[in-house]
Amino acid sequence: MQVKIKDVAKMAGVSVTTVSRVLNGEKYVKDDLKEKVNKVIEELGYAPSQIARSLVRKKTNLIGVIVPDLTSSFYSTILSSIEDRASVNGYNLLVCNISEDIDKEYKYLNVFQEMRVEGIIIMHEKINEQIRAFIHKINTPVIFSSVKPMDQKFVSVIIDDYEAAYEATRYLIELGHEAIGFIGGDMRDITSGQNRYSGYRNAMSDRGKKLVFEHIRFGDYKVQSGYDQMKEMLSAGNRPSAVFAVSDDMAVGAMNCIRDHHLRVPEDIAVIGFDGSQLTELVRPTLTSMEQPIHEMGRVTMDVLLKLIGGETLPDGDVILKHRLMIRESSQSRSEQTNEAEETNKNT
Amino acid sequence: MQVKIKDVAKMAGVSVTTVSRVLNGEKYVKDDLKEKVNKVIEELGYAPSQIARSLVRKKTNLIGVIVPDLTSSFYSTILSSIEDRASVNGYNLLVCNISEDIDKEYKYLNVFQEMRVEGIIIMHEKINEQIRAFIHKINTPVIFSSVKPMDQKFVSVIIDDYEAAYEATRYLIELGHEAIGFIGGDMRDITSGQNRYSGYRNAMSDRGKKLVFEHIRFGDYKVQSGYDQMKEMLSAGNRPSAVFAVSDDMAVGAMNCIRDHHLRVPEDIAVIGFDGSQLTELVRPTLTSMEQPIHEMGRVTMDVLLKLIGGETLPDGDVILKHRLMIRESSQSRSEQTNEAEETNKNT
DNA sequence: CTGAAAGCGCTTACAG
DNA sequence: CTGAAAGCGCTTACAG
């Protein structure tokens, strides 16, 4: 049996009101009473029930977070900075890992509502009609992080995926590459699927580069699919001299595939990823990547949500964060490629 | 204003008791009343308050989890399977990322108590006296996952770290290696620090291998420290022909360092890691690793905790899971090393 | 089968 | 400065 405020009051010889007052640090409690109460609290190891407190205060200090895949370093890093900000502001995180299970998401959204969370963070954009309706119905603030679902009413903290993909592609073009392969995401995803693909496509056509059907493929953002899609691309003959994958994981998969085909990165094929995950510095060659400000994204998500919870009315629209191209070893200009390839040939 | 049970009762023309009954799926409610109530619930979008329910039932369905570092793939993978099992059993996770901050841990433990979580999972073994006392004091079940603090009373779900490290070292010895370097963990950690080091040391001495002072170093399990420690080892001259790092992250760091010194893995130096993280299959060469059953570890942790919560008395002591050596490309026998090295010389 | 009432463990006007 | 009482939104004996 947990000790409760009544026990403390009785033992200290005061009313529960007084105990409550010292608990909440109110003034208007004589010092000697305060001391006595604190001593009893210490003795009994009393910890006030947040459950009871939440009930009367109508404030739970709980935030619900829906993560698509906890084992992904991208999401868990965002989650980590969300947790950081939450903790600093006295909030606790209820975390749900849905792993592609849309039913689980809906179920959890309901749990969040029943738990009376004060805000909800979703890092997943494949929401269905049921979920959309639910979010519109509840009066709890909801914010999307790193993704943007197809609904103007929802607010997202994201980068400009179109522009980022455009710049990444343009960078490869400026290096002199003509045949630039693309490993995209799920076209049902607005941000990471459609927008990044459009950015690639437009950058290519704006510079008069031909889109080669065999060089355009789509994966699921994971390492294995990067490998698989690259394999398909290579088996199609006339291989590209550079490849842009819309996640670092896929880019690493692609690099591994290239290596397994006895080709070199970047000497034979340059590779560029997207996200700016830990992997970029960890693989060899290190991976050039269009980086999202992952930590900032988590921080800003939480800060905006806290404002929403606080009742502030924010300017309409999404919060757009800055992306940044981080150039590392995996990308190389087309001319260098040629030279090196020739030199290598001389040595053989 | 959230709609409450009273609103539903009024609109349905029944008592709150009846509404409560249909909410909880009790029998003894006439079908027509049940229908009417359900319709009103639907109409009003009523979701019962778990807060109020928890207060009266004295059951929160909450589990508190303390993770040392959410951005680590090892911990986030365990967390992922913990979440899975929790969800299936109707439990929700309150997640706290302490990132080496022991004060934050204590603070969160108190929050967990105030939230009346039914159980606590800790994946961190550097607990101090204050935390130890706290855990002994509260009557909430606490379980450690993947780590074991220095207190016989606490129950852990772990592998036999000593034996695993012994076997990993023995494997390298059997490959013909004599000079085997070691990159250990924090010696304040019983399992991953002390036990793995003892396993290495004893495997070496049991086979009559000399321990070379310069070949024994300690890091913090992360990639960078693997790199740094390897660098120190290489700069000491007389380099080892194999290195055993007690985390995959450090092993990858070591591999990168070796490569940056224009040496090859495994041809010049064989490398073996520990954990069995996603990295092992992702780096090139793929990394041989002494694997922990990461997913099983999360699952078992949750299952044991649920039994503890259910009041079952379990056999004393820790739950020991099986480790497994996964041989991949980064390890190679000493003799092959020599041969290949010679062949390479011929070609130059 | 149904409902009035007590109670879960707190906080917060209100009165003194 | 201090306390009695009402109330937060539910569930659960208890009575009918």
Side-chain angles (χ1 to χ4, degrees):
Chain A
M1 208 52 212
Q2 290 268 10
V3 8
K4 44 196 133 171
I5 197 172
K6 212 173 158 186
D7 303 323
V8 176
K10 199 173 297 175
M11 179 159 283
V14 299
S15 71
V16 297
T17 311
T18 298
V19 178
S20 174
R21 284 200 180 103
V22 345
L23 242 31
N24 294 294
E26 277 177 47
K27 34 202 169 186
Y28 305 134
V29 182
K30 259 195 193 153
D31 283 352
D32 57 329
L33 274 195
K34 196 184 292 183
E35 264 181 50
K36 201 193 297 176
V37 169
N38 276 324
K39 196 150 63 176
V40 173
I41 287 175
E42 176 73 16
E43 266 178 49
L44 263 40
Y46 170 68
S49 161
Q50 282 298 341
I51 302 299
R53 185 176 287 180
S54 294
L55 187 59
V56 21
R57 285 204 184 144
K58 295 169 174 311
K59 181 153 181 33
T60 58
N61 282 54
L62 247 29
I63 304 280
V65 186
I66 288 181
V67 186
D69 179 11
L70 270 174
T71 67
S72 139
S73 117
F74 180 71
Y75 293 117
S76 57
T77 303
I78 295 187
L79 180 61
S80 164
S81 34
I82 287 177
E83 202 278 342
D84 225 57
R85 295 302 292 170
S87 155
V88 166
N89 288 281
Y91 278 84
N92 293 112
L93 257 38
L94 231 36
V95 174
C96 163
N97 181 211
I98 57 167
S99 42
E100 310 286 317
D101 185 348
I102 202 87
D103 291 334
K104 197 172 170 191
E105 177 167 3
Y106 185 66
K107 190 192 117 197
Y108 258 95
L109 248 15
N110 277 287
V111 170
F112 286 169
Q113 194 194 188
E114 297 190 346
M115 291 293 291
R116 301 294 188 260
V117 299
E118 297 181 32
I120 295 175
I121 297 171
I122 302 179
M123 304 192 216
H124 182 252
E125 58 192 343
K126 280 191 215 73
I127 61 175
N128 59 24
E129 205 34 67
Q130 190 185 32
I131 292 176
R132 189 189 319 283
F134 183 88
I135 297 177
H136 278 126
K137 189 189 66 183
I138 59 173
N139 47 13
T140 310
V142 175
I143 190 167
F144 287 81
S145 191
S146 83
V147 294
K148 175 156 190 60
M150 206 161 357
D151 192 314
Q152 287 305 326
K153 292 286 194 173
F154 299 154
V155 22
S156 285
V157 176
I158 43 175
I159 60 167
D160 184 338
D161 286 274
Y162 170 83
E163 180 62 21
Y166 190 99
E167 288 174 19
T169 310
R170 191 180 58 195
Y171 163 71
L172 289 173
I173 294 173
E174 283 168 357
L175 285 183
H177 292 284
E178 296 280 334
I180 300 174
F182 179 76
I183 303 180
D186 190 327
M187 285 303 273
R188 290 170 297 180
D189 298 336
I190 314 286
T191 46
S192 38
Q194 299 173 20
N195 292 350
R196 291 181 197 169
Y197 176 54
S198 306
Y200 159 76
R201 213 182 35 201
N202 289 0
M204 291 293 274
S205 56
D206 285 357
R207 303 286 174 124
K209 305 302 173 197
K210 273 202 297 280
L211 294 181
V212 179
F213 178 74
E214 294 79 19
H215 291 171
I216 298 177
R217 308 206 55 91
F218 298 90
D220 67 2
Y221 311 104
K222 296 185 185 167
V223 177
Q224 187 60 47
S225 85
Y227 192 99
D228 296 342
Q229 298 306 326
M230 192 67 222
K231 195 169 177 180
E232 294 290 328
M233 212 183 291
L234 289 176
S235 71
N238 74 328
R239 60 170 207 251
S241 69
V243 171
F244 169 30
V246 303
S247 80
D248 289 333
D249 282 10
M250 289 200 294
V252 168
M255 291 205 322
N256 286 341
C257 177
I258 292 168
R259 171 190 302 245
D260 289 354
H261 279 72
H262 306 293
L263 295 169
R264 291 152 308 160
V265 175
E267 291 85 348
D268 296 307
I269 302 182
V271 174
I272 166 170
F274 200 108
D275 281 347
S277 78
Q278 302 161 336
L279 279 185
T280 55
E281 309 242 283
L282 187 151
V283 294
R284 289 297 182 277
T286 52
L287 178 64
T288 293
S289 178
M290 180 52 77
E291 297 198 351
Q292 305 200 51
I294 309 188
H295 279 100
E296 188 189 358
M297 201 166 254
R299 185 171 55 69
V300 172
T301 298
M302 195 62 216
D303 287 346
V304 172
L305 183 58
L306 286 173
K307 286 182 184 172
L308 255 21
I309 291 173
E312 287 185 43
T313 45
L314 302 172
D316 269 359
D318 300 319
V319 180
I320 311 292
L321 268 26
K322 282 209 191 68
H323 53 268
R324 187 177 57 148
L325 181 67
M326 279 298 286
I327 298 174
R328 297 199 183 81
E329 298 166 358
S330 69
S331 59
Q332 192 163 14
S333 75
R334 179 64 187 143
S335 54
E336 283 175 47
Q337 275 186 341
T338 318
N339 293 343
E340 290 218 8
E342 281 169 9
E343 279 181 36
T344 309
N345 285 335
K346 279 185 218 155
N347 288 345
T348 321
Chain B
M1 206 56 210
Q2 290 269 7
V3 9
K4 41 195 136 173
I5 197 171
K6 211 172 159 187
D7 304 321
V8 176
K10 199 173 297 176
M11 179 160 282
V14 298
S15 71
V16 298
T17 311
T18 298
V19 178
S20 174
R21 284 198 180 105
V22 344
L23 242 33
N24 295 295
E26 276 179 46
K27 34 202 171 189
Y28 306 134
V29 182
K30 260 195 192 152
D31 284 352
D32 58 330
L33 274 195
K34 196 183 293 183
E35 265 180 49
K36 200 192 301 175
V37 169
N38 276 325
K39 196 151 59 176
V40 173
I41 287 176
E42 176 73 17
E43 265 178 49
L44 264 39
Y46 170 67
S49 161
Q50 283 298 339
I51 303 297
R53 186 176 284 177
S54 293
L55 185 60
V56 20
R57 286 206 184 141
K58 293 166 175 311
K59 181 155 180 32
T60 57
N61 284 54
L62 245 30
I63 305 281
V65 186
I66 287 179
V67 186
D69 179 12
L70 269 174
T71 67
S72 139
S73 116
F74 179 71
Y75 293 118
S76 57
T77 303
I78 295 187
L79 181 61
S80 165
S81 35
I82 286 177
E83 202 278 343
D84 224 59
R85 296 301 292 170
S87 155
V88 167
N89 289 280
Y91 278 84
N92 293 112
L93 256 38
L94 230 37
V95 174
C96 162
N97 182 212
I98 56 167
S99 44
E100 310 285 320
D101 184 347
I102 203 87
D103 290 333
K104 197 172 170 192
E105 177 167 4
Y106 184 66
K107 190 193 117 195
Y108 259 97
L109 248 16
N110 276 288
V111 170
F112 286 170
Q113 195 194 185
E114 296 190 346
M115 292 292 292
R116 301 294 188 256
V117 301
E118 297 181 33
I120 295 174
I121 297 172
I122 302 178
M123 305 193 215
H124 182 252
E125 59 192 343
K126 279 192 216 73
I127 60 175
N128 59 25
E129 204 35 66
Q130 191 184 30
I131 293 176
R132 190 191 317 283
F134 183 89
I135 297 176
H136 278 127
K137 187 188 69 183
I138 59 172
N139 46 13
T140 309
V142 175
I143 189 166
F144 287 81
S145 192
S146 83
V147 295
K148 176 158 189 57
M150 206 161 358
D151 192 315
Q152 286 306 324
K153 291 286 193 171
F154 299 154
V155 22
S156 284
V157 176
I158 41 173
I159 59 166
D160 184 338
D161 285 274
Y162 170 84
E163 180 62 22
Y166 190 100
E167 288 174 19
T169 310
R170 191 180 59 195
Y171 162 71
L172 289 173
I173 294 173
E174 282 168 357
L175 285 183
H177 292 284
E178 296 281 334
I180 300 175
F182 178 76
I183 303 180
D186 190 327
M187 286 303 273
R188 289 169 299 179
D189 298 335
I190 314 287
T191 46
S192 37
Q194 298 174 19
N195 291 350
R196 291 181 197 169
Y197 177 54
S198 305
Y200 159 77
R201 212 183 36 202
N202 289 0
M204 291 293 273
S205 57
D206 284 357
R207 302 288 174 123
K209 306 300 174 199
K210 272 202 297 282
L211 293 181
V212 180
F213 177 73
E214 294 79 19
H215 292 170
I216 298 177
R217 308 205 56 90
F218 299 91
D220 67 1
Y221 310 105
K222 296 184 185 169
V223 177
Q224 187 59 46
S225 83
Y227 192 99
D228 296 342
Q229 297 308 323
M230 192 68 220
K231 195 169 177 182
E232 294 290 326
M233 213 184 288
L234 289 175
S235 72
N238 73 328
R239 60 169 206 252
S241 68
V243 170
F244 169 31
V246 303
S247 80
D248 289 332
D249 282 9
M250 288 200 295
V252 168
M255 291 205 322
N256 286 342
C257 179
I258 291 169
R259 169 189 304 242
D260 288 353
H261 279 72
H262 306 292
L263 297 168
R264 291 153 308 161
V265 176
E267 291 84 348
D268 296 308
I269 302 182
V271 174
I272 166 170
F274 200 109
D275 280 346
S277 79
Q278 303 161 335
L279 279 185
T280 54
E281 309 241 282
L282 189 149
V283 294
R284 289 295 182 278
T286 54
L287 179 64
T288 295
S289 179
M290 179 53 76
E291 298 199 350
Q292 305 200 52
I294 308 188
H295 279 99
E296 188 189 0
M297 201 165 254
R299 186 170 55 70
V300 171
T301 298
M302 195 61 216
D303 287 347
V304 172
L305 183 59
L306 286 173
K307 286 182 184 174
L308 254 23
I309 290 174
E312 288 186 43
T313 45
L314 301 172
D316 269 359
D318 299 320
V319 180
I320 311 292
L321 267 27
K322 282 208 192 67
H323 54 267
R324 186 178 59 147
L325 181 67
M326 279 297 287
I327 298 175
R328 299 197 183 81
E329 298 166 357
S330 68
S331 58
Q332 192 165 16
S333 74
R334 179 63 188 144
S335 54
E336 284 174 47
Q337 274 186 341
T338 317
N339 293 342
E340 291 215 8
E342 282 171 5
E343 278 181 36
T344 308
N345 285 335
K346 276 185 222 155
N347 287 343
T348 320

